[in-house]
Amino acid sequence: MFPALRCLATHARPFDIPVLDRSRSAPQTEMRMTVDAEQSALSGVSRVEVVGAVEMALRGREVSRLSTPHHRSTVPLRVGLSEADRSSVDRLGQVHLQSLSGGMVPLAELVNTEETVRHQSISRKNGKRVIYVMGEVAGELESPVYAMLDMAETLDEIQVAGGAPLGRLFTREPVVTERPVMKWDGEWQVTYEVFRDLGIAFAGAILLIYVLIVAWFGSFVTPLVMMAAIPLTLIGIAPGHYFAGAFFTATSMIGMIALAGIMVRNGILLIDYLEARLRAGVPLKQAILQAGAVRTRPILVTAVTVIIGAIVILFDPIFQGLAVSLMAGAFASTILTLVVVPGLYFLIKRGWTEEAVQ
């Protein structure tokens, strides 16, 4: 995984990554001191005294407590070596201990010092060993998706043991961990799960709207004409985010879901009045013109109220995406709904009429 870390470091500068770190630290050495039992016995210093002297030198030892008028409780008094005196093994070895004979014995003669490599801490996630490579994307492009796409080609060049390419996973955890696998996580995982859940909710909302309209109008085709206004919102939402300089966030998706019901309502207003005129014996073309003339005002009023209500949250950093989706989507979809929905209804009805005549 260290080549992947180097790849991240190489691509950090174009994306303004101020923080780049990893959970696996560099190898660290530590000094282990063990009491020399034979030398300790010959010197007349017990093992307990040796361990106590080392502990006091490194950590300090509380020898008493002091009462002062400026403190509500007693203040501990600790005895220990200064940082300079315990900064190296040689200086620590100069600490002297008193033997049974009354002589002073240096600590270096009573212990054996061994330099070893400190054991690395092992991070696990769901029972699998992991090494976290962490970076924070900043600058104009704050979404991690852009950094991930930019590093794709370089990551393809990384090979693990055996010459195999480094596997990369985006949405699921690795099943086999016999060789290194790279899993994008963190903010990307949260973004994926949020949009996945909102997409499922959006599909469920559209299905529920369709079922309700089918039950009301008794037709499977007419509701599809009314719901044609839903994809028309994208014609306004996508350019709206571009010109507003806003990212398409989770709140933008929530705005799309809310806008779906509003735009279907406009289609219902048109088709409901149109079919009422058809039942009254008005020709198809005339009924479409009358429906447009009568229902245009309430449809426009609905769009204007949505836009005015969204202006309040347009400059909020969190809900800006919601405001842009509502305003741009309502504007574009309303204008196009007045043309597309009657046009689709006319084409479908005319086709049915020609088939009936034939």
Side-chain angles (χ1 to χ4, degrees):
M1 294 300 288
F2 294 111
L5 177 63
R6 288 194 294 269
C7 172
L8 284 171
T10 303
H11 287 73
R13 187 170 299 172
F15 282 92
D16 249 349
I17 301 181
V19 180
L20 190 63
D21 198 3
R22 64 186 180 191
S23 61
R24 185 180 177 88
S25 59
Q28 298 179 354
T29 59
E30 66 178 7
M31 307 303 295
R32 291 181 176 270
M33 289 185 174
T34 57
V35 180
D36 189 334
E38 182 179 356
Q39 190 64 32
S40 175
L42 293 175
S43 302
V45 181
S46 66
R47 182 190 299 265
V48 176
E49 291 176 330
V50 175
V51 174
V54 174
E55 182 180 6
M56 182 179 65
L58 296 178
R59 300 181 181 179
R61 177 181 298 174
E62 182 179 331
V63 295
S64 180
R65 300 190 71 88
L66 178 65
S67 298
T68 64
H70 304 291
H71 296 84
R72 302 179 61 180
S73 58
T74 57
V75 179
L77 295 179
R78 303 184 67 87
V79 176
L81 293 181
S82 63
E83 185 175 354
D85 291 334
R86 51 187 169 89
S87 58
S88 65
V89 177
D90 294 336
R91 303 196 67 171
L92 189 62
Q94 297 176 6
V95 175
H96 287 69
L97 288 82
Q98 186 176 11
S99 64
L100 293 177
S101 61
M104 304 300 293
V105 183
L107 180 64
E109 297 181 3
L110 303 175
V111 297
N112 296 321
T113 305
E114 180 185 5
E115 182 178 344
T116 60
V117 178
R118 187 176 183 180
H119 293 293
Q120 292 278 357
S121 60
I122 299 176
S123 301
R124 295 181 183 270
K125 183 175 182 180
N126 296 333
K128 302 181 180 67
R129 290 191 177 186
V130 295
I131 298 176
Y132 292 103
V133 180
M134 297 158 285
E136 183 71 24
V137 181
E140 295 182 359
L141 302 177
E142 297 181 356
S143 175
V145 178
Y146 302 105
M148 292 165 57
L149 294 176
D150 183 74
M151 290 185 286
E153 294 184 1
T154 307
L155 291 175
D156 289 337
E157 301 175 359
I158 298 177
Q159 296 182 349
V160 297
L166 176 66
R168 298 200 305 274
L169 300 175
F170 293 89
T171 59
R172 62 179 180 85
E173 294 185 3
V175 179
V176 180
T177 56
E178 296 178 354
R179 60 184 183 183
V181 179
M182 182 177 178
K183 165 69 173 68
W184 292 105
D185 210 329
E187 185 179 350
W188 154 253
Q189 186 68 26
V190 174
T191 302
Y192 164 74
E193 292 178 356
V194 168
F195 277 93
R196 179 198 62 191
D197 297 341
L198 288 176
I200 295 174
F202 192 26
I206 292 176
L207 180 61
L208 182 59
I209 291 172
Y210 178 75
V211 171
L212 291 175
I213 299 176
V214 168
W216 180 259
F217 284 90
S219 171
F220 291 99
V221 179
T222 302
L224 296 178
V225 178
M226 300 177 185
M227 297 175 68
I230 296 178
L232 296 179
T233 59
L234 292 174
I235 299 178
I237 291 176
H241 280 80
Y242 176 77
F243 289 111
F247 290 101
F248 189 86
T249 60
T251 56
S252 304
M253 192 70 178
I254 295 174
M256 281 187 58
I257 299 175
L259 203 60
I262 299 174
M263 293 302 102
V264 169
R265 173 187 175 276
N266 294 340
I268 294 176
L269 287 176
L270 282 172
I271 303 302
D272 184 56
Y273 185 82
L274 197 157
E275 290 193 345
R277 300 307 297 162
L278 290 177
R279 289 192 297 268
V282 178
L284 179 60
K285 290 184 179 181
Q286 188 67 23
I288 291 176
L289 294 176
Q290 291 180 3
V294 174
R295 296 303 193 188
T296 297
R297 179 177 295 179
I299 290 175
L300 292 179
V301 170
T302 301
V304 171
T305 54
V306 170
I307 293 173
I308 293 176
I311 291 177
V312 181
I313 57 175
L314 179 60
F315 302 101
D316 187 273
I318 297 177
F319 296 101
Q320 184 184 29
L322 174 62
V324 172
S325 293
L326 291 176
M327 296 175 66
F331 175 79
S333 181
T334 298
I335 301 301
L336 295 174
T337 296
L338 295 173
V339 179
V340 175
V341 172
L344 289 176
Y345 190 85
F346 174 77
L347 293 176
I348 293 174
K349 279 291 185 180
R350 187 181 64 176
W352 288 349
T353 304
E354 291 178 355
E355 291 180 2
V357 171
Q358 292 177 0

